[in-house]
Amino acid sequence: MEPKRKAPASPAAREASPEPYPTHASPSPAQCLAVRDALLGFHGFPEEFAPFRRLRLGGSGDSPPPLPPTVLDGLVTTLLSQNTTEAISRRAFASLKAAFPSWDQVVDEEGTRLEDAIRCGGLAATKAARIRAMLRGVRERRGKICLEYLRELSVDEVKRELSQFKGIGPKTVACVLMFYLQKDDFPVDTHVLRITKAMGWVPVTASREKAYIHLNSKIPDDLKFDLNCLIVTHGKLCQTCAKKMGGEKSKVPNAACPLASYYRVGEKLQQ
């Protein structure tokens, strides 16, 4: 079961930043679909992201849709995921929730318990300061620490709301939009940026910010979620696409990379 096909939002429908590469035609909807299908056929849908996909599809068969995480839990989880792995960030989030039964306690606590609780996730002092400042800001603006009202806002309204907080950048906002608000958005992390450059979907000199604007304007809304999850997964697993980390062997042999032909096209486009 797949969502109904939708074209990318029109400029009139979204208050998007100006297209940074107006003469760069790639990717076309057909290219996006072909790459999605190639990666889906190769990897299957990544189990890591399957719960979020079920949320978007509204359950399957006779099963009711799963209950979504709160938006605030999603935002804090995303902040904790910076510069670490998914497994470690979730362990840090579980430790945080065990130490603080309520978000108000996080704001009111003046010691280092928050930092200690999330230390396993790395960058504990920086992340603790950002989380506490964000929670305090929400309470000051809204009277209570809750972000469920964001579910009723447009993509651009959510971006404006979340961008008010220090340490919450475009990638974090895009992840909250896609995973926790089930909105059509396409985050750009290191894997996405590297692979889309290699395929010629963005210029080789593109920054993450400009790539985000360009890709969101080109990729059909109904393909954004699957394509993003699959590119991220492929970037982690394929040694053609992934950065070598500590000599760890890839789970995907070079010869098997389903994007090899797209990279050759990308090389020609970049010449």
Side-chain angles (χ1 to χ4, degrees):
M1 178 181 179
E2 293 189 8
K4 187 178 178 181
R5 294 296 307 269
K6 293 183 290 182
S10 66
R14 271 191 194 179
E15 301 170 15
S17 300
E19 162 62 69
Y21 308 113
T23 62
H24 196 90
S26 294
S28 67
Q31 288 173 317
C32 296
L33 181 61
V35 169
R36 192 283 302 267
D37 288 349
L39 291 176
L40 189 60
F42 191 79
H43 292 289
F45 193 80
E47 190 59 35
E48 174 186 355
F49 302 117
F52 299 105
R53 194 171 195 255
R54 287 194 290 271
L55 279 172
R56 298 176 75 89
L57 296 175
S60 58
D62 296 329
S63 301
L67 290 174
T70 69
V71 180
L72 189 54
D73 281 6
L75 175 56
V76 173
T77 299
T78 305
L79 287 170
L80 289 171
S81 72
Q82 295 171 356
N83 300 102
T84 191
T85 65
E86 179 78 9
I88 291 175
S89 67
R90 292 199 175 278
R91 188 158 72 241
F93 181 76
S95 176
L96 186 162
K97 296 287 275 189
F100 296 94
S102 77
W103 292 120
D104 285 292
Q105 290 177 322
V106 175
V107 174
D108 296 334
E109 192 267 331
E110 297 181 355
T112 61
R113 277 206 306 138
L114 174 58
E115 190 174 331
D116 294 340
I118 64 173
R119 195 171 303 283
C120 64
L123 300 175
T126 299
K127 292 177 181 179
R130 288 176 178 175
I131 289 169
R132 182 172 282 125
M134 180 272 295
L135 294 173
R136 183 178 292 115
V138 172
R139 188 167 71 178
E140 289 172 354
R141 289 182 174 91
R142 306 289 301 179
K144 61 180 180 178
I145 305 177
C146 179
L147 291 177
E148 291 306 293
Y149 74 97
L150 295 180
R151 296 189 187 278
E152 306 303 319
L153 303 184
S154 69
V155 168
D156 289 297
E157 288 170 335
V158 172
K159 289 179 180 179
R160 282 196 296 270
E161 288 285 304
L162 293 182
S163 297
Q164 299 177 69
F165 303 110
K166 184 178 179 181
I168 299 181
K171 181 195 164 189
T172 297
V173 174
C175 287
V176 171
L177 282 164
M178 187 175 78
F179 290 117
Y180 299 102
L181 290 170
Q182 291 79 54
K183 303 283 190 183
D184 297 317
D185 211 60
F186 193 82
V188 175
D189 72 350
T190 54
H191 299 294
V192 171
L193 184 61
R194 183 168 60 251
I195 289 175
T196 54
K197 282 184 178 182
M199 292 191 295
W201 286 14
V202 295
V204 71
T205 57
S207 66
R208 182 181 293 183
E209 292 73 20
K210 289 184 177 180
Y212 169 76
I213 296 168
H214 178 75
L215 292 170
N216 270 283
S217 74
K218 292 291 186 181
I219 298 172
D221 282 346
D222 66 300
L223 294 177
K224 285 177 179 175
F225 179 80
D226 282 7
L227 191 55
N228 194 277
C229 296
L230 287 161
I231 289 177
V232 168
T233 298
H234 191 69
K236 291 176 181 178
L237 298 181
C238 180
Q239 73 183 89
T240 301
C241 311
K243 289 181 176 178
K244 291 183 179 179
M245 302 291 287
E248 182 181 352
K249 288 186 178 180
S250 168
K251 298 178 183 178
V252 179
N254 270 333
C257 178
L259 300 184
S261 63
Y262 297 97
Y263 292 158
R264 288 193 289 272
V265 172
E267 289 172 1
K268 293 179 181 178
L269 289 173
Q270 303 288 9
Q271 288 174 356

